[in-house]
Amino acid sequence: MTLELYQEFALTRDLPEYQLRAGDIVTLVDFVDHPSGGEEGYLLEVFNAVGESLTVIAVPISTVEVLRPDEILTVRFLAAKAG
């Protein structure tokens, strides 16, 4: 599989520290090597439903999966962080 910058993926697991859930759509913005030889990773940009950038996160490759034609996109409310 050839991955391309700005390709969209789905998260494979929840990332509560970022208020993200498995199935949320993210965009690949860079490839990163693990500093001590572990699993390589991606820098992902997260957008809201109207295309505004929310954050950029670094995750291991296993945290994302390619979107498939038998999937459908959905929308959910992003709760405001307390504090």
Side-chain angles (χ1 to χ4, degrees):
M1 171 177 62
T2 302
L3 304 178
E4 297 180 20
L5 291 179
Y6 311 111
Q7 182 176 352
E8 291 183 323
F9 293 91
L11 293 175
T12 59
R13 62 179 180 231
D14 293 347
L15 299 172
E17 63 273 29
Y18 301 110
Q19 294 184 291
L20 297 172
R21 296 184 189 159
D24 285 350
I25 305 301
V26 294
T27 302
L28 174 63
V29 294
D30 206 356
F31 303 94
V32 292
D33 293 326
H34 191 281
S36 58
E39 183 179 5
E40 292 183 359
Y42 297 143
L43 286 181
L44 305 173
E45 190 162 8
V46 181
F47 295 92
N48 66 14
V50 295
E52 299 166 332
S53 180
L54 299 176
T55 191
V56 175
I57 62 174
V59 299
I61 290 173
S62 61
T63 306
V64 297
E65 65 184 2
V66 175
L67 299 176
R68 301 183 321 251
D70 63 341
E71 297 174 318
I72 189 166
L73 300 178
T74 187
V75 175
R76 68 175 179 86
F77 179 72
L78 182 63
K81 287 188 176 181

